[in-house]
Amino acid sequence: MYKVVKNVDEAIQGIQSGMTLMFGGFGLCGIPENCIMALSKTGINKLTCISNNAGVDDFGLGFLLKNRQIKKMISSYVGENDEFERQMLSGELEVDLIPQGSLAERCRAGGAGIPAFFTPAGFGTEVAEGKEVRIFNGKPHILESALTADYAIVKAWKGDHYGNLVYKGTARNFNPMMAMAGKITIAEVEILVEPGELDPNFIHTPGIFVQRIFQGEKYEKRIEQRTTRKREI
Amino acid sequence: MLDKVGIAKRIAQELKDGWYVNLGIGIPTLVANYVPTGIKVEFQSENGILGMGPFPWEGEEDADMINAGKQTVTLKKGAAIFDSATSFAMIRGQHVQLTVLGAMEVSERGDIANWKIPGKMVKGMGGAMDLVASAENIIVAMMHVNKAGESKLLKECTLPLTGTRCVKKIVTELAVLEIIEGGFKLLERAPGVTVEHIQKSTEGNLIIDCEIPEMKV
C-alpha cells in the first residue's frame, strides 16, 4: 500500500526509449512538471506521448520536444510552440489528433477495462476514416478504441502515502483518467501527507490506481494566458 | 452592419433562463458579457468548469483556474469543477443546452468546418468535434465573408469538416439565419444592411419567404 518514492529520479525509474507515456494536464495547467523536467535530462527517446496538448517552447512537454525525445504525439490541440510546428511540418514528429472528449473517454475506457466504445464525435470527418460506423437511436456513431500507457504521469495537489489523490481547480482535467490508464502510474503532488489526513469523501483518484507517489521539489505553475480585470480606483 | 460585440449581443438574446451554455473561443466568449437582465445561465468550460465567472482581478490570477482558452478565470458562487471525461459526458450526453462557436465555413445543410486548413499548420480540433456532434442547439458566430470577400455560407464546405448537419443558427455581421431543409433561411438583417447585400454575400441557397425585419441589438 505504501507508494512513496524518494524523489523524481526514483519515480521515473524503468521508463525506457520507445515506451508510451500519458501526461495529465490541460495546456500548462496541472502538468507533472517535475517528472517532465527529469525526463528531459535523460537520454530516453522515441517516446509516444499521450497528452491533451504539447506544452510551449520553454515549458512542459516543449522540453522533451526540443531534445527530440518524442516520436509521436497523441493530442487534441497542439502547436502552441514553434519547435512542435517545425518538427511536425518536417515529418520528424508523428501527430495523431483526436477530439478532446474522445481522448478523455479513450483514457477512461483504457483504465476501466472497456476496450472500445461508440461516439458521435467525428462522424463524417477525417477522424472517422477507417473506423466502424453504427447507427444508434437513428444517429451514426464511430468506434473508438481505449488508450493505455506503459507509464501514466499525473500531477495532483495533495496525495497521501497510499496514493490517494486530490486535485485543485481546473488542474484536475485529464489527470484522473490518465491515472487509471497507466500500467504504472506516477503521481507527483504539491503536498504529500500521511494516510488519514485526506478526507475519504473527497478523494478524486483512489490510491489503487497509483503505483508511485512523491512530493515535487518545486512548482513553477506557469500561466499561459494571464487575463485579468483592472481594479477601479 | 454589426461589429463583433454586436454579433455577441445578438446571440445573447437567444439565451434562455436556466440554460447551461458552452462558449467557444473568439466572438462566442464575448456573449458572456451581454446576458440579458433577469436571465440566469451557467457557462460550461470544457476543461472542467460549470459556473465560470469573469477574469480575476489583477494580482488574483490562479494558475490552477483557467478556461478552455487557457486564460485565467474565476468561479461564480455555486460553481463546480470536474475532470475532462465528466465534462464531455455533459456535452455528449446533451446536458448542455447551447453551444456557441466560430466557424470558417458553414454549408446550407448545416455542416461546419472550423479546425483545419490544408497546407497550413494544423493545431487540432480540441473539443469542437465532440461539441458539434452532440449539441442539440448550435449557434455559429462568424463573419459572413472571409478576408478575400468570399462567402463563408456555402452550398458545400470546401475545408475539412468538423461535423455534419449540426448547425442550427448563424449570426454574422450582416444577418441572422436559420438552417432549414433547402438552405439558409434569412430571419433578420443587421441595422442598415439590405437583403440584396446579404444575398450577394451568401453562396449557399438563401431562403427569403417574408419581409425581413431589421434586428434589434
Side-chain angles (χ1 to χ4, degrees), chain A residues 53 76-78 99-102 125-126 139 168-170 173-174 221 225-231, chain B residues 49 55-58 60-61 63-64 66 70-72 81 83-84 88 92 116 123 125-126 130 133 162:
Chain A
N53 312 91
S76 87
Y77 193 85
V78 294
Q100 194 174 126
S102 298
T125 76
E126 59 189 61
K139 198 174 162 175
K168 183 164 155 277
T170 53
N173 56 61
F174 281 82
K221 299 218 275 184
Q225 308 275 348
R226 189 177 295 274
T227 45
T228 57
R229 281 179 290 168
K230 276 228 177 318
R231 283 177 198 279
Chain B
I49 308 176
F55 294 152
W57 297 112
E58 248 175 352
E60 290 180 7
E61 312 91 280
D64 292 331
I66 63 168
K70 290 135 192 164
Q71 299 169 312
T72 45
I81 295 285
D83 64 57
S84 301
F88 282 93
R92 227 186 282 105
K116 183 176 183 180
K123 291 197 166 190
M125 65 292 282
D130 311 88
T162 309

Side-chain angles (χ1 to χ4, degrees), chain B residues 63-185:
Chain B
D64 292 331
M65 193 51 65
I66 63 168
N67 64 16
K70 290 135 192 164
Q71 299 169 312
T72 45
V73 292
T74 56
L75 298 182
K76 294 205 298 192
K77 270 185 192 160
I81 295 285
F82 36 85
D83 64 57
S84 301
T86 306
S87 177
F88 282 93
M90 293 173 190
I91 290 163
R92 227 186 282 105
Q94 303 194 325
H95 305 282
V96 174
Q97 278 79 24
L98 173 67
T99 290
V100 183
L101 75 177
M104 299 172 189
E105 296 177 347
V106 175
S107 84
E108 63 187 35
R109 276 194 311 273
D111 298 347
I112 178 170
N114 72 351
W115 77 284
K116 183 176 183 180
I117 301 173
K120 288 207 176 157
M121 173 64 190
V122 181
K123 291 197 166 190
M125 65 292 282
M129 282 193 184
D130 311 88
L131 281 158
V132 301
S134 297
E136 278 176 286
N137 191 5
I138 299 175
I139 300 179
V140 165
M142 68 175 190
M143 302 313 272
H144 214 101
V145 296
N146 64 20
K147 280 176 189 147
E150 299 157 342
S151 179
K152 295 167 74 173
L153 281 68
L154 308 172
K155 284 196 181 311
E156 297 275 351
C157 292
T158 63
L159 295 169
L161 294 181
T162 309
T164 57
R165 297 177 179 270
C166 52
V167 176
K168 298 288 186 291
K169 211 173 237 188
I170 306 162
V171 180
T172 74
E173 79 281 22
L174 304 180
V176 180
L177 309 104
E178 191 185 354
I179 304 272
I180 61 165
E181 197 56 46
F184 300 103
K185 184 179 184 211

